[in-house]
Amino acid sequence: MEQLLRSEEVPAVTGDQGVEIPSELLYNVEHSVLYFPVRHHSPACSFHLEKAAEDYKPDLILIEGPENAGNLISVLLHEDTKPPLALYYAYRDRAGLVTEKKGDYKCYYPFLDCSPELTALRQAKDNGIPARFIDLSYGEILIGTASGKGIRREGNKQTYNDDYLLSRSRYLALLCEKTGLRDFEELWEKYFEIQGLTEATADFMRQMLTYCILSRKNTPEEELEEDGTILRERYMAKQIAEASKTYKKILVVTGGFHSYGLWELLSKEQDGTYAFTGKPVKLHKEADGQQEVYPMAYSMEAADALNGYASGMQSPGFYQRVWKNLKERESAAGAYEDAVLHFLASSGRQARRKEESVSSYDEICAFSMARGLAALRGKREPGLYELKDSARSSFVKGELNLSTDGALRVLKELVTGTQVGRLCKDAARPPLLSDFEEHCRSFGLKLHSTLEQTVTLEIFKKEKHLRMSRFFYQAEFLDCSFAKRKKGADLVKRQDQNRIREIWTYKWSEQVTAALIDASISGGTCEEAARSLLKSRFGESTGCREAAELLVKGFLMGLSEEQAEMSVHLAEVLAADGDFFSLTKGFSHMLMLLELQDLYQVRDALHLDQVTEQCFQKIIQLLPSMGQVGEERQQECMESLRLLYQAAGRNNANERKPVLMEALKGLLGRGSVNPGVEGTVLGLLYGYEGGFGRQITETARGYIQGSGEMLSKSAAFLRGLFFTARDFVFVSGEFLNLIDELLGRLSGEEFLRLLPELRMAFGYFTPLETDRIAGRAAALHGRKKRDLLTERRVSPEEFAYGEALDAYAGERILSVGKLK
């Protein structure tokens, strides 16, 4: 590879004396163990692996992969199974072996069509020889990895086969600097993917080993201990040693970083077998009992390194096309150039369908530029970087921005790939996943599409739409990120309750399958799992608000069979809850459920009439004490009072109005009431009885015409009043005069201090109402509303000049005073 990685050139890059590759690691078909180093999902590695397997003719192929997934190899190789795929691992740390928190963990082991691991499995099947996974189980790797390291790193998709040790070493940084390449991906593509296809397999392996060994030698040993690398290599080396006692020729396929580490742990015996020289790994019995592994369909989008998958090749759709070219042609030459041409033509064609200004001539220019860039950069063929650079230059007209990068977005989607895998019918899967897929089929939902779909449901007209809505809510409750309601009644937040249609979007992704596998412990069907989870969460609820929200969610999911059992716990929660805010919001939820039961065809087994009455009585007892609420909870108190007023004013709760009215009067009679709460309560009482208008005016006058502390509370009072009775401004003839008086009395400093709350107070008015207030305010000063609209505004420059002039004048006045 232009001699760059050859041993005599390495010191110029690394600053050391190069690397000595042990002869047993070099490519030799006579070796009893042939170590084949790979980068995960690399077409070049798969290309040479096929050749190595054909030349070496192994008796056994050992592959880096968790040993407890060996029974799923037949599923991965089934003729009806189509990549991209993944093995999904879940580990529940019930024994606290990972951390004291006893959390749940999961990770993925993806397989693309061009993945060397899948190529190795296919070679074993084609040649009728056994293949095994030889690594530790996922749980054991977690237990043996330090917090924040390796497979336990935070902030990335948790993936089993991570190449980060190859792409983040000090050696790599020096190598990129020496070659003038932008990053690891560009270096890898130039020297291993493109150039590597022209190398003999023995030479390709030598270059891989040189790079991997130098990367390893430039990684601190303690880091390898912390991230579980050493532990895993000890286990894999032991498996190789044991296999050597039965098989004469073993092909070992692992990430390139492990090859040297495995070799160091093995010693060849006189009889040709290998002895393990390291410390045996002690397994934990509890680890195996708390983990699951399932095959699952995966997507190219999830496998893209640019989407957070650290082990992936970026833009996997591009490299999948390269692999397809390699499989279809006799010679590797031209595989990359043809892929570049394919994506330029495809992206141009699709861009034109979206009315982007990309012509066939632009495509020709881009291809010509890609070839020229490759020659300029010393590459045998253009690759992904030349594709992107040439497309940006030829497809973008003018400045690159959202209005001109449409063709580039199309190209990005194509090189990422839209393929979604498929599992054979015999694949092991939890019953919950099968039930979910069956529901999707029965409702006509596009299950295996990575494109977002939209569906409109008329839940009160069509029984099927109501069932579909309940299914979507169940999926949402199971937190599988499949469906999201965009429009429609939001009963949990009590918004848009008058809407009769629901608009949902849904989209399949690998996270959907993973979440359903996680939730399978709760039940075998979506309804069963949602019901089990609902009962569990409801049993753990400790507040009226939390319990009532769970009742609403169960209502939306159509789960009413457990209501009789849940009513007992609801009564206990209600009896123990002394939080006014929690009780108020729970009361509103329960009243709403009473009103909507017939509409949604749900029966009441909770005796909500009795429960809501008990809840209301507790609220009435607590309400008078809420006048002394602190400023930090003022807004929440205002909202709770209005919510209580609205709930008590419903048709089925009219008898509660006088009781609530007396409690509100009692609150005002306590003295020392929070001004925002006082304004809110007076507004609510005014809604019950117009005669409270006089009290509102007198109270406002006390704040506005008061001095010191009273004046400073006036804005908070107005905020509370306008929150519940903003119409009083238009009904009262003198109230606007009081507000005008307030603004006239405030000094500049006081006005700025009250301004935030004043803005919130007047923010409750609609634009039309604000316009009416402005007209009346103008009339108080002998002006007309249209005068406010035609008066010339001061520009920012004039205002700044005026401030500077004012400051200058102030300084001059002070200086004259000092001279006197």
Side-chain angles (χ1 to χ4, degrees), residues 304-595:
D304 188 356
L306 299 178
N307 289 330
Y309 171 45
S311 295
M313 301 276 284
Q314 62 171 313
S315 305
F318 177 80
Y319 291 106
Q320 174 62 31
R321 183 68 192 190
V322 171
W323 178 245
K324 184 175 184 292
N325 290 343
L326 290 172
K327 299 294 288 183
E328 292 178 349
R329 60 177 64 226
E330 296 182 2
S331 170
Y336 272 83
E337 188 170 278
D338 284 358
V340 169
L341 178 59
H342 168 79
F343 283 105
L344 286 174
S346 298
S347 59
R349 183 167 56 251
Q350 292 196 23
R352 284 192 291 276
R353 291 174 184 168
K354 297 182 178 182
E355 298 184 355
E356 299 288 343
S357 58
V358 177
S359 66
S360 298
Y361 180 72
D362 292 329
E363 297 167 20
I364 295 171
C365 290
F367 183 58
S368 177
M369 178 176 289
R371 297 176 72 178
L373 287 173
L376 186 64
R377 295 167 179 173
K379 300 181 181 180
R380 289 181 175 270
E381 296 180 28
L384 178 63
Y385 281 78
E386 288 66 46
L387 168 63
K388 292 181 177 180
D389 290 343
S390 63
R392 177 170 179 169
S393 177
S394 300
F395 289 178
V396 176
K397 309 298 191 296
E399 182 182 357
L400 179 63
N401 53 48
L402 287 174
S403 63
T404 61
D405 70 347
L408 296 186
R409 292 198 299 271
V410 172
L411 176 63
K412 183 181 183 300
E413 180 180 347
L414 291 176
V415 297
T416 298
T418 58
Q419 299 96 315
V420 175
R422 186 180 71 226
L423 288 174
C424 62
K425 293 182 180 179
D426 299 333
R429 64 181 64 201
L432 174 60
L433 184 56
S434 299
D435 179 73
F436 177 85
E437 293 176 348
E438 180 57 36
H439 271 85
C440 289
R441 282 190 288 270
S442 67
F443 292 131
L445 304 178
K446 296 180 180 180
L447 181 58
H448 293 300
S449 172
T450 57
L451 300 178
E452 187 174 81
Q453 310 291 328
T454 302
V455 60
T456 300
L457 304 179
E458 297 180 341
I459 58 176
F460 303 122
K461 288 185 178 181
K462 300 178 181 179
E463 192 270 339
K464 180 180 178 180
H465 285 196
L466 178 61
R467 288 189 292 108
M468 194 183 304
S469 173
R470 290 172 175 173
F471 169 69
F472 281 149
Y473 276 116
Q474 290 170 15
E476 187 177 62
F477 191 66
L478 293 176
D479 197 22
C480 66
S481 304
F482 176 67
K484 184 176 182 180
R485 183 183 50 77
K486 291 293 187 181
K487 292 184 179 179
D490 188 341
L491 302 188
V492 176
K493 294 182 179 179
R494 300 177 302 279
Q495 296 175 352
D496 301 323
Q497 296 178 31
N498 59 332
R499 290 184 179 270
I500 61 174
R501 291 186 180 88
E502 292 180 350
I503 298 178
W504 290 78
T505 60
Y506 67 92
K507 176 183 176 182
W508 183 90
S509 70
E510 75 288 343
Q511 286 93 343
V512 175
T513 302
L516 291 172
I517 293 174
D518 279 341
S520 63
I521 194 172
S522 301
T525 67
C526 293
E527 183 176 324
E528 183 181 320
R531 179 176 287 113
S532 176
L533 186 60
L534 178 66
K535 288 177 62 178
S536 174
R537 290 186 183 175
F538 192 81
E540 295 171 355
S541 61
T542 56
C544 184
R545 173 185 180 176
E546 180 185 6
E549 284 186 356
L550 287 169
L551 289 178
V552 173
K553 291 179 180 180
F555 177 87
L556 292 169
M557 292 187 286
L559 306 179
S560 58
E561 294 180 9
E562 285 75 24
Q563 287 187 349
E565 182 181 340
M566 294 166 72
S567 64
V568 177
H569 181 69
L570 181 60
E572 295 173 353
V573 168
L574 185 57
D577 195 351
D579 186 336
F580 173 80
F581 304 111
S582 173
L583 290 167
T584 301
K585 291 175 182 176
F587 174 68
S588 176
H589 279 310
M590 289 185 285
L591 275 182
M592 178 184 65
L593 289 179
L594 273 172
E595 293 177 350

Side-chain angles (χ1 to χ4, degrees), residues 153 155-159 162 168 301-312:
R153 294 198 317 279
N156 294 306
K157 290 185 179 180
Q158 298 308 312
T159 54
D162 198 333
R168 303 178 191 175
E301 181 182 13
D304 188 356
L306 299 178
N307 289 330
Y309 171 45
S311 295

Side-chain angles (χ1 to χ4, degrees), residues 764-783:
Y764 297 126
F765 291 95
T766 66
L768 182 60
E769 290 170 338
T770 302
D771 191 54
R772 289 175 60 193
I773 291 173
R776 292 190 179 186
L780 293 177
H781 297 273
R783 306 290 295 276

Side-chain angles (χ1 to χ4, degrees), residues 625-642:
S625 65
M626 298 312 297
Q628 288 75 42
V629 70
E631 186 178 347
E632 71 281 356
R633 303 202 75 176
Q634 174 184 303
Q635 182 63 31
E636 187 177 6
C637 185
M638 291 163 54
E639 292 173 354
S640 295
L641 290 171
R642 187 174 69 174

Side-chain angles (χ1 to χ4, degrees), residues 246-261:
T246 305
Y247 298 93
K248 293 183 178 180
K249 299 185 73 175
I250 303 173
L251 177 60
V252 178
V253 181
T254 65
F257 200 86
H258 295 303
S259 298
Y260 187 80

